């Protein structure tokens, strides 16, 4: 993992660029949120500076994960496709000052370190990209489930329940 630890400020200054593929299974915090440990995240981290000369990192993360639908409790494919601009500050105080100066919700100001772990950054980005309450736009097996219900001979209790729902 140490190969993925960078000096964030040097990385930005030298406009370094790295990319890689990281399996979801290797990311414990992310795979705790996903339905299984399948999938791979592709990431690109590019160093640079903003117009005002602040060092910054641009991180893109893409890939497919499986997450659990909160409505029908079946997993579905969720594509992560996320890009963040992270401006680097030396400490919390200057992070707040830069944040006020930039006044831009699209840009995150973080405290940069000499031991920034790229993989942790990628995992944070992926976690933020996941929906808080994931749901299918339309749950696929709902109609199949309905068909199954009506095909069965209904008990009086089930009929009562259906009446209440109408
Ligand atoms: Zn669903």
């Amino acid at each position: 993992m140490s190969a993925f630890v960078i000096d964030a400020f040097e990385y930005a200054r030298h406009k370094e660029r790295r990319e890689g593929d990281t399996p979801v299974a290797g990311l414990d915090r992310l795979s705790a949120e996903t339905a299984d440990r399948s999938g791979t995240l592709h990431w690109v981290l590019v160093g640079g500076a903003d117009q005002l000369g602040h060092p910054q990192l641009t991180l893109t993360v893409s890939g497919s994960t499986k997450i659990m639908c909160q409505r029908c409790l079946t997993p579905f494919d969720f594509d992560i496709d996320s890009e963040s601009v992270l401006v680097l500050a030396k400490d919390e105080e200057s992070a707040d000052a830069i944040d006020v100066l930039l006044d831009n919700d699209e840009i995150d100001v973080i405290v940069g370190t000499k031991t920034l772990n790229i993989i942790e950054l990628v995992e944070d980005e992926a976690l933020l990209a996941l929906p808080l309450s994931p749901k299918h736009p339309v749950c696929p097996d709902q109609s199949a489930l309905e068909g199954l219900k009506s095909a069965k001979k209904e008990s009086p209790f089930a009929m009562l329940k259906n009446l209440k729902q109408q």
Side-chain angles (χ1 to χ4, degrees), residues 13-25:
R13 198 160 65 86
H14 294 293
K15 297 186 167 52
E16 284 186 51
R17 182 185 192 281
R18 276 202 220 175
E19 63 184 297
D21 293 293
T22 302
V24 171

Side-chain angles (χ1 to χ4, degrees), residues 73-137:
L73 299 177
T74 58
F76 67 102
D77 290 325
F78 180 78
D79 289 330
I80 291 174
D81 188 7
S82 183
E83 181 177 300
S84 278
V85 176
L86 306 165
V87 169
L88 303 172
K90 287 195 169 58
D91 50 41
E92 288 290 348
E93 202 179 326
S94 54
D96 291 343
I98 294 169
D99 210 16
V100 170
L101 180 72
L102 297 178
D103 190 27
N104 186 340
D105 288 342
E106 310 272 297
I107 294 172
D108 291 313
V109 183
I110 62 167
V111 177
T113 74
K114 290 183 191 304
T115 54
L116 186 73
N117 188 318
I118 297 177
I119 302 304
E120 279 177 18
L121 208 60
V122 168
E123 189 169 22
D124 287 342
E125 182 72 18
L127 282 166
L128 289 172
L130 293 181
L132 287 176
S133 177
K135 286 187 187 81
H136 288 110

Side-chain angles (χ1 to χ4, degrees), residues 69-74 76 134-142:
C69 171
Q70 301 290 298
R71 190 158 44 204
C72 68
L73 299 177
T74 58
F76 67 102
K135 286 187 187 81
H136 288 110
V138 177
C139 290
D141 57 352
Q142 218 157 44

Side-chain angles (χ1 to χ4, degrees), residues 2-53:
S2 60
F4 295 111
V5 175
I6 58 164
D7 179 328
F9 294 103
E10 287 297 298
Y11 193 94
R13 198 160 65 86
H14 294 293
K15 297 186 167 52
E16 284 186 51
R17 182 185 192 281
R18 276 202 220 175
E19 63 184 297
D21 293 293
T22 302
V24 171
L27 305 171
D28 287 339
R29 286 180 298 143
L30 181 65
S31 55
E33 300 296 322
T34 53
D36 61 19
R37 296 164 75 85
S38 70
T40 300
L41 299 178
H42 182 72
W43 52 265
V44 183
L45 184 69
V46 182
D50 70 4
Q51 291 100 323
L52 300 171

